[in-house]
Amino acid sequence: MTINRGSEWKKWNFHVHTKGTNKNDQFSSSTMDEFFHTFFKSAYQNNISAIGITDYFSIDRYLDTIKYVSEIDEKLNPINQEKLFDDSEVDYIKNIYIFPNVELRISPTTKKGKFINLHFLFNPDKIDLLENEFFNKLSNIDGYLMNYKSICDYGKFLNPSLQEEQFYKYGIDNYNLEFGKIKNLVESNKFLRDNSLIAISSKSNDGVSGLKDYYEEFETESGALLGTIKSIYKKSHIIFSNTDSDKQYFLGDKTSVGEVISHTGSLKPCVVGCDSHTESTLFNRFTWIKSELNFEGLRQICFEPEQRVKIQNEKPDFKEDKVIIDKVKFHSPNNIFYRDDIYLHPNLNVIIGGKSSGKSILLYSIAKTLLPEPSILKNDNNEEKYNLKSIDPNFNFEITTKAGISQKMDRDIEENSIIPDLKYIPQSYLVKLAEPELNKKGRPLNKLIRDLIKEDDEYKIKYEYFIKNVKQDDKDRQTLIDTYFELIDNRKNIENDLRTKSNKTVLETNIASNSKKVEELNKAEGLDKEQLEKYKHIQDKKILLQQVTADWKTDYENTQNLLSQLNHFTDSLIETRNNTLENLKLLSIKEYYTDKLNVIDLLKNRLSELSEELNIKTDGDKKYFSLENPFKHKLDELKREKKILEKEIQPFQKNNEIQKQISLLNKSITDDKKLLNEIDILSKKLIDNSTLITNCYNSIFELYEKTYNEYENIIEELKDRTIELEKDRLKIDGIAQYNFPKLYKNLYEISDGRKASYRNYPDLIDEYKKATDETKFEEIKSQIKTIFDDIINDNYSLLQRINKKHAIEVLLDDYFFDYWKITYKDDKLGEMSTGKASFVILMLIIGLSKSKSPILIDQPEDNLDNRSITKDLVYYLKNKKLERQIIVVTHNANIVVNSDAENIIVANQKGQNNMESTSIYKFDYINGAMENTFPINKSETNLLKSMGIREHIAEIVEGGKEAFKKREEKYGF
């Protein structure tokens, strides 16, 4: 069975001589059989698929070659009588496309005195007409017949002094034709124009470059020669040359397409052949041609000289086998669907057909079989686009990759897709993506661009790190807001405590008064001056001890709180460290920082130990520290001092009544001093609290700016990912934007509508502002601060059920987002037509996608005008197919023809058009190259087999015939 994938890359040898060639025959084989055995063995080993059998002024060697191939099954080794070729070699050789290459010499001569080599490559299907339409007509215009006797006569005429056996060689070496006569013959002979291609040598010794050298030396005297050079080029279709200079010039890369067409008539492909005259050089040079193996396929290189011809060793358009769909197959036991394999080309496959012909079903089946995420396969109502089981209850579909891996649509849910990251763009999908952007919403498209940027692992890691930072900012912001309102509550508590304390002046007056009374009572106790001084000193120490004990208690509580917060902080640090280290790819890097950052674990352990030290145990009524720590030591010291003071004061306490009075007064003094100390502490706390509130406020807005900078930074880091698109004049500018509508909505929902405080900030809060409106961070930050202050100071009216803390959380939420502004050819996406915007989105999907897996597109031309299709879409598909396999459903002739689709799949549903078909399938398919052409065969009742692929295109696709004409005219052919 012949496998047809359309226009495939094959090795062609355009110029090879065989034994018995009319000139310079250096082949050493003793017989023709021996020669052709060597010839075809070499072709087989070098994987040559097409051969131009070349001879001077003759096709006799071509006929010899064809005859040998026709008898190849019967060829035996004369020594052992075994077959010369095995079965695989025979099959291969019989499928080699062999065509005649007639080499002529034309005048004028080059600077080196050589005639120019000109080749006619003929359609072998018309070989029986060549004698009359070509050779006889050449003889008529020159007077010499193209045969042995005529050439001998010509040699004898030129040099009669030669020996008889030398006349033929001399005649061949010197026989030439004026190019003007050949030009007239071709222009007057439709057969030659339709069935031959002219190839001209570009070498300097026997090619047109030799004429150019001659012209450049005698430019002032050779105006007619320049006309001859242009005339030769304009009548030629192909250039024999492998120089980079020629390849660049004839493709318009060196100057311009217009200039080349002006000077040479058309862009031209450059090809090479081995030009062998000995066995040792057979097939040592070749040209890669992308076409079917026929004359029409060869003609395609003239229409697409850049992409259909490559002179290089390796096969062009390399793609990994694992990401190429090699073939697909419907499993349809009831013959609802075509059941044979449908082969695909690694480049561009186009599916055409009439209405409801099954073209979109084929594309959908590929997508459904491979896509792991099914959402894009469904309509807006969440139903599948095609209920294939309702068409055929036993329906299944199978895909096989170039790597030989197969997968069916119906399979176990655990079986992952063999090509999970292909792109499927269903009909109208691009329009739906474009419309939100045109309506200034833009969120789905923005997410799409972001997801495409993240397809590159390097940039995905960067974006994930950014997200982690932003989420940490969210947590830190919440912590700061919690702290801020805790500080506000603390301030209220301190102020309330201060209000409950006595007046400071009253306390100081009372202390002085009571101290004087104590002094008088002590005198009444009979204490002398020295005793009074000592007693007073002990009393002061006792009061100080009470104050120190109070300070000990305060310090203990504060230290406990500090250790608790630090423990919480280190827990967060450890989590962040572990998550980051887990994502590091390089083992050496991970091990280094795992070791170095163990210091966090040491800190955590130390904090846990310190917290444990401060735990107080209880034993009945007794409380005690079980572990040694500074607080325990200090408490023990205070207890000892208290016992000492109580012992020291006993001798001075003789009169119980007086001592009771002194004790009461001392207690009052102690209490008043304690109150004074508490007032001082509260006043200091109030000052410190105000400082903390201010610092926390500043930290909140420093973090607010940090969050914004995270967006600025990630946009800068992702910029490189979009630069490559600029070669297609597509530009993506990342911008840190602010979601004004979301802020308006959220504040509106918590605000008292009667007072509508949100209306006081029109530059920030406005129901008509869009998420894509200009974002000026400093202005936004200033407005946010103003609203913040107004909420705290009761100048912003909230709903009764909404507290200030919640309002601040809403206000300070992260409303920033990374927005990707798109321009194409200096037009902004939001200002384009829906159709053009759809095309730009298609460019984004393909251009940004890092994957090399296939792209499936259903009718990308929808809503595009013809100019956008021919100028933009066709050009884009034509270049992108070199990077990824593309499968397109279309009804536009320009996409089919001018994007030079390698493989055209024609779909037909029986009964859907005026032409009936005897195919056994309801949904039928056929595929092939656009150069596959033959007129409608009225005796063939199977519609798809009744005409060539080219004829199907012309009949099915509107404007098909015109598209072919435009393609052939594009480069002046």
Side-chain angles (χ1 to χ4, degrees):
M1 176 184 169
T2 302
I3 294 173
N4 190 351
R5 293 186 182 85
S7 304
E8 293 195 84
W9 286 110
K10 296 282 194 337
K11 290 180 180 179
W12 288 52
N13 194 308
F14 284 89
H15 185 183
V16 56
H17 293 267
T18 58
K19 181 176 176 60
T21 185
N22 281 332
K23 186 177 185 301
N24 196 23
D25 182 359
Q26 300 178 41
F27 295 107
S28 59
S29 300
S30 58
T31 65
M32 289 301 293
D33 277 359
E34 181 185 344
F35 167 76
F36 276 125
H37 178 254
T38 302
F39 182 90
F40 282 114
K41 277 281 188 180
S42 179
Y44 175 77
Q45 290 163 1
N46 286 281
N47 203 26
I48 303 297
S49 297
I51 302 173
I53 302 296
T54 307
D55 203 2
Y56 302 90
F57 314 109
S58 171
I59 61 167
D60 289 346
R61 304 290 78 76
Y62 165 78
L63 295 173
D64 291 343
T65 308
I66 293 298
K67 184 175 183 295
Y68 184 87
V69 171
S70 69
E71 299 170 351
I72 197 167
D73 287 313
E74 304 167 11
K75 299 296 180 181
L76 301 176
N77 188 320
I79 298 173
N80 56 22
Q81 295 300 302
E82 293 181 356
K83 290 180 66 174
L84 283 173
F85 302 95
D86 63 32
D87 291 342
S88 63
E89 291 172 332
V90 169
D91 289 342
Y92 187 90
I93 293 167
K94 284 185 174 181
N95 284 300
I96 293 176
Y97 178 65
I98 302 173
F99 59 96
N101 175 352
V102 177
E103 186 169 359
L104 305 179
R105 300 293 181 79
I106 61 170
S107 56
T109 58
T110 66
K111 183 181 177 182
K112 295 182 179 180
K114 298 283 188 178
F115 295 114
I116 297 169
N117 289 339
L118 180 143
H119 301 254
F120 273 86
L121 312 180
F122 285 109
N123 181 357
D125 293 340
K126 306 292 182 179
I127 199 68
D128 55 328
L129 300 175
L130 282 189
E131 188 67 29
N132 183 57
E133 295 292 342
F134 180 67
F135 292 109
N136 288 346
K137 286 183 167 54
L138 278 184
S139 299
N140 290 338
I141 63 173
D142 202 55
Y144 283 93
L145 295 173
M146 295 293 177
N147 56 38
Y148 181 84
K149 183 179 183 305
S150 185
I151 297 298
C152 286
D153 290 345
Y154 183 68
K156 186 175 182 179
F157 168 76
L158 292 177
N159 192 347
S161 63
L162 294 173
Q163 298 294 320
E164 186 74 28
E165 63 272 12
Q166 295 176 312
F167 289 147
Y168 180 80
K169 183 180 184 306
Y170 194 81
I172 282 289
D173 288 344
N174 290 278
Y175 187 79
N176 69 90
L177 295 160
E178 290 183 21
F179 176 73
K181 294 179 179 180
I182 293 176
K183 176 175 177 287
N184 293 335
L185 174 62
V186 172
E187 289 178 350
S188 64
N189 190 319
K190 186 176 186 301
F191 170 83
L192 289 180
R193 294 197 302 274
D194 290 345
N195 293 285
S196 68
L197 295 170
I198 297 175
I200 192 76
S201 170
S202 185
K203 293 189 291 186
S204 59
N205 62 332
D206 56 5
V208 183
S209 292
L211 285 184
K212 288 195 288 185
D213 294 340
Y214 194 60
Y215 167 72
E216 287 166 4
E217 184 173 343
F218 303 104
E219 185 173 353
T220 56
E221 304 171 12
S222 307
L225 186 57
L226 178 60
T228 300
I229 294 170
K230 285 187 176 182
S231 182
I232 293 172
Y233 277 139
K234 286 183 178 181
K235 280 300 166 190
S236 301
H237 308 108
I238 298 169
I239 306 297
F240 270 121
S241 176
N242 189 26
T243 67
D244 289 338
S245 178
D246 278 347
K247 286 187 282 189
Q248 290 170 7
Y249 175 77
F250 288 107
L251 292 177
D253 294 336
K254 208 169 187 180
T255 54
S256 70
V257 171
E259 183 173 333
V260 173
I261 291 175
S262 172
H263 283 82
T264 70
S266 67
L267 298 188
K268 301 184 191 299
C270 288
V271 304
V272 295
C274 62
D275 193 13
S276 293
H277 288 263
T278 67
E279 286 88 350
S280 62
T281 58
L282 284 171
F283 308 115
N284 61 352
R285 293 197 299 170
F286 57 85
T287 305
W288 287 101
I289 300 295
K290 184 172 60 177
S291 75
E292 281 197 342
L293 291 173
N294 54 44
F295 186 76
E296 191 61 33
L298 176 58
R299 190 193 295 273
Q300 303 306 306
I301 70 173
C302 302
F303 310 141
E304 303 293 344
E306 181 181 11
Q307 289 198 356
R308 286 204 178 225
V309 182
K310 299 291 178 184
I311 303 173
Q312 57 190 51
N313 288 327
E314 65 279 2
K315 189 175 182 179
D317 298 351
F318 170 77
K319 298 180 179 73
E320 283 193 85
D321 290 350
K322 69 177 183 179
V323 293
I324 297 299
I325 301 173
D326 185 57
K327 61 183 178 180
V328 300
K329 184 175 184 177
F330 290 100
H331 288 269
S332 181
N334 299 322
N335 293 336
I336 302 297
F337 289 93
Y338 177 76
R339 292 172 57 183
D340 288 342
D341 291 329
I342 301 172
Y343 286 88
L344 299 181
H345 194 280
N347 287 6
L348 179 59
N349 303 268
V350 170
I351 306 172
I352 63 172
K355 186 177 180 182
S356 301
S357 59
K359 52 187 185 295
S360 291
I361 286 178
L362 174 57
L363 194 74
Y364 174 82
S365 298
I366 297 172
K368 184 172 174 60
T369 303
L370 295 176
L371 279 176
E373 171 50 53
S375 59
I376 199 170
L377 300 169
K378 296 182 178 180
N379 293 316
D380 293 337
N381 59 6
N382 208 34
E383 292 181 355
E384 291 203 21
K385 294 180 187 295
Y386 298 97
N387 187 346
L388 299 171
K389 292 290 187 182
S390 68
I391 301 173
D392 184 350
N394 299 308
F395 180 90
N396 205 346
F397 192 79
E398 185 175 8
I399 291 173
T400 303
T401 67
K402 192 105 179 278
I405 309 299
S406 296
Q407 188 163 61
K408 290 183 179 178
M409 183 185 293
D410 292 341
R411 61 180 185 270
D412 291 338
I413 194 168
E414 295 83 10
E415 185 181 337
N416 292 333
S417 169
I418 56 176
I419 312 180
D421 52 349
L422 87 166
K423 297 291 180 191
Y424 173 50
I425 304 172
Q427 192 175 355
S428 303
Y429 175 73
L430 296 172
V431 173
K432 289 176 183 176
L433 285 174
E435 285 176 347
E437 172 62 25
L438 300 176
N439 297 328
K440 302 300 181 189
K441 296 177 183 175
R443 300 298 288 178
L445 177 59
N446 206 52
K447 182 181 183 303
L448 174 72
I449 295 170
R450 187 186 300 124
D451 289 345
L452 289 168
I453 288 173
K454 286 165 26 186
E455 281 193 12
D456 186 302
D457 286 342
E458 177 187 350
Y459 292 89
K460 181 181 180 180
I461 291 171
K462 288 181 179 181
Y463 199 84
E464 286 175 349
Y465 186 71
F466 153 73
I467 291 296
K468 189 178 294 184
N469 287 343
V470 169
K471 285 183 176 179
Q472 186 59 49
D473 286 350
D474 291 343
K475 292 179 182 178
D476 293 344
R477 182 175 62 252
Q478 186 60 54
T479 300
L480 285 171
I481 292 172
D482 290 342
T483 302
Y484 183 84
F485 279 91
E486 285 173 8
L487 291 169
I488 294 289
D489 290 340
N490 287 342
R491 182 172 64 184
K492 288 179 181 177
N493 292 334
I494 294 168
E495 289 171 345
N496 288 336
D497 283 351
L498 275 172
R499 290 191 193 98
T500 64
K501 307 301 179 186
S502 180
N503 185 279
K504 190 174 182 179
T505 304
V506 171
L507 291 172
E508 288 171 344
T509 302
N510 197 44
I511 290 169
S513 173
N514 286 337
S515 297
K516 189 173 183 181
K517 288 178 182 178
V518 168
E519 187 178 345
E520 290 173 351
L521 286 171
N522 282 326
K523 285 180 181 179
E525 183 83 324
L527 299 176
D528 58 28
K529 186 175 181 181
E530 183 179 345
Q531 289 174 321
L532 282 172
E533 285 295 326
K534 189 174 181 180
Y535 180 66
K536 185 175 181 300
H537 179 67
I538 294 170
Q539 287 280 45
D540 288 343
K541 285 173 68 177
K542 191 175 181 181
I543 291 169
L544 179 60
L545 181 64
Q546 290 171 341
Q547 290 174 346
V548 172
T549 301
D551 290 343
W552 178 93
K553 185 178 180 182
T554 302
D555 286 353
Y556 177 75
E557 291 172 353
N558 288 339
T559 303
Q560 273 193 317
N561 290 334
L562 171 64
L563 291 174
S564 176
Q565 290 179 25
L566 288 175
N567 269 300
H568 177 74
F569 177 69
T570 51
D571 287 340
S572 177
L573 270 180
I574 289 170
E575 181 183 0
T576 302
R577 179 203 62 185
N578 291 346
N579 289 339
T580 303
L581 290 176
E582 186 65 29
N583 289 323
L584 294 180
K585 300 290 189 295
L586 300 177
L587 182 60
S588 59
I589 303 296
K590 180 183 288 189
E591 289 176 345
Y592 177 84
Y593 283 100
T594 299
D595 178 58
K596 295 298 181 183
L597 294 175
N598 276 341
V599 66
I600 303 174
D601 298 309
L602 297 175
L603 175 61
K604 173 65 179 174
N605 293 336
R606 177 56 57 85
L607 289 170
S608 299
E609 290 171 359
L610 292 174
S611 297
E612 183 65 25
E613 287 177 359
L614 295 188
N615 283 341
I616 295 176
K617 303 284 177 125
T618 303
D619 184 7
D621 295 334
K622 186 180 178 182
K623 293 184 178 180
Y624 63 94
F625 288 104
S626 62
L627 297 174
E628 297 296 321
N629 65 74
F631 284 100
K632 178 180 182 298
H633 298 157
K634 188 65 180 177
L635 183 60
D636 292 342
E637 180 187 321
L638 291 174
K639 287 179 179 179
R640 287 194 300 270
E641 288 184 16
K642 183 179 180 183
K643 286 182 179 180
I644 292 170
L645 289 174
E646 286 176 348
K647 187 175 182 180
E648 287 179 351
I649 206 169
Q650 282 180 359
F652 301 96
Q653 298 176 335
K654 298 175 181 176
N655 188 317
N656 288 336
E657 193 60 38
I658 290 175
Q659 287 305 316
K660 284 181 182 179
Q661 292 182 35
I662 291 173
S663 178
L664 289 170
L665 288 171
N666 278 336
K667 185 177 185 308
S668 178
I669 291 169
T670 300
D671 289 344
D672 288 347
K673 284 186 175 181
K674 183 180 178 184
L675 284 171
L676 273 177
N677 187 52
E678 287 175 356
I679 289 171
D680 288 341
I681 290 172
L682 288 172
S683 297
K684 185 177 183 306
K685 278 186 176 181
L686 195 60
I687 294 170
D688 291 344
N689 180 272
S690 296
T691 301
L692 289 172
I693 289 174
T694 301
N695 291 342
C696 188
Y697 177 89
N698 292 335
S699 295
I700 286 171
F701 284 98
E702 285 171 6
L703 180 63
Y704 192 78
E705 184 163 349
K706 175 181 177 293
T707 301
Y708 173 76
N709 288 335
E710 294 285 0
Y711 287 90
E712 291 271 276
N713 293 339
I714 190 60
I715 286 168
E716 184 64 28
E717 288 190 19
L718 299 183
K719 185 188 294 182
D720 289 346
R721 181 80 169 83
T722 66
I723 288 175
E724 189 178 345
L725 298 175
E726 294 182 14
K727 70 178 186 294
D728 296 317
R729 300 182 66 182
L730 182 63
K731 188 171 177 59
I732 301 180
D733 291 310
I735 306 168
Q737 283 289 108
Y738 190 80
N739 196 333
F740 297 101
K742 186 177 179 181
L743 174 71
Y744 174 84
K745 175 181 176 295
N746 290 348
L747 279 181
Y748 179 84
E749 289 176 351
I750 64 171
S751 300
D752 186 339
R754 294 169 296 180
K755 296 187 179 179
S757 300
Y758 49 82
R759 297 192 186 279
N760 298 330
Y761 321 94
D763 293 338
L764 181 65
I765 308 174
D766 184 343
E767 60 183 311
Y768 298 108
K769 284 183 82 71
K770 304 178 184 67
T772 52
D773 283 353
E774 184 179 11
T775 295
K776 294 181 179 178
F777 174 73
E778 289 301 328
E779 292 180 6
I780 290 171
K781 180 180 173 183
S782 175
Q783 288 278 293
I784 293 291
K785 277 188 172 183
T786 302
I787 300 172
F788 185 107
D789 295 342
D790 287 348
I791 290 173
I792 297 299
N793 297 322
D794 297 318
N795 294 323
Y796 190 103
S797 297
L798 301 169
L799 291 171
Q800 193 170 2
R801 60 182 172 81
I802 302 297
N803 60 44
K804 290 181 180 180
K805 182 182 174 186
H806 178 65
I808 294 298
E809 288 169 347
V810 169
L811 176 69
L812 292 177
D813 198 4
D814 182 6
Y815 295 102
F816 298 107
F817 64 97
D818 49 311
Y819 175 69
W820 303 92
K821 180 182 173 185
I822 302 157
T823 54
Y824 175 59
K825 296 182 178 178
D826 300 324
D827 290 337
K828 295 178 181 177
L829 183 60
E831 297 172 2
M832 298 175 189
S833 66
T834 302
K836 190 170 184 181
S838 300
F839 166 65
V840 170
I841 294 169
L842 174 64
M843 291 176 70
L844 288 169
I845 292 172
I846 298 176
L848 276 177
S849 175
K850 192 70 176 177
S851 167
K852 294 301 179 185
S853 296
I855 301 169
L856 318 181
I857 317 173
D858 199 342
Q859 294 186 199
E861 71 273 15
D862 285 358
N863 300 302
L864 272 180
D865 57 77
N866 281 330
R867 182 177 177 82
S868 295
I869 293 170
T870 55
K871 295 292 183 182
D872 294 325
L873 181 56
V874 164
Y875 172 82
Y876 197 70
L877 290 175
K878 191 172 180 180
N879 285 282
K880 287 302 171 184
K881 69 181 181 178
L882 304 180
E883 301 170 11
R884 296 174 71 172
Q885 186 179 41
I886 301 176
I887 309 170
V888 177
V889 169
T890 185
H891 51 64
N892 187 281
N894 283 307
I895 292 177
V896 181
V897 178
N898 289 307
S899 61
D900 194 31
E902 282 84 355
N903 187 32
I904 290 86
I905 302 170
V906 186
N908 182 62
Q909 182 183 171
K910 193 185 292 188
Q912 289 296 110
N913 51 49
N914 295 329
M915 297 180 67
E916 287 298 324
S917 178
T918 57
S919 169
I920 62 172
Y921 305 110
K922 179 178 181 181
F923 291 96
D924 202 5
Y925 300 89
I926 195 170
N927 72 291
M930 73 171 70
E931 58 263 27
N932 177 287
T933 177
F934 57 87
I936 296 176
N937 180 0
K938 293 183 180 180
S939 65
E940 174 59 68
T941 57
N942 185 324
L943 176 61
L944 292 183
K945 296 178 180 179
S946 67
M947 64 186 84
I949 296 295
R950 180 177 177 127
E951 285 69 30
H952 276 297
I953 295 170
E955 182 175 285
I956 294 172
V957 187
E958 185 178 350
K961 292 180 180 178
E962 290 74 16
F964 278 112
K965 289 179 182 177
K966 287 180 181 178
R967 177 173 179 258
E968 294 174 9
E969 294 168 356
K970 179 174 58 174
Y971 295 133
F973 182 74

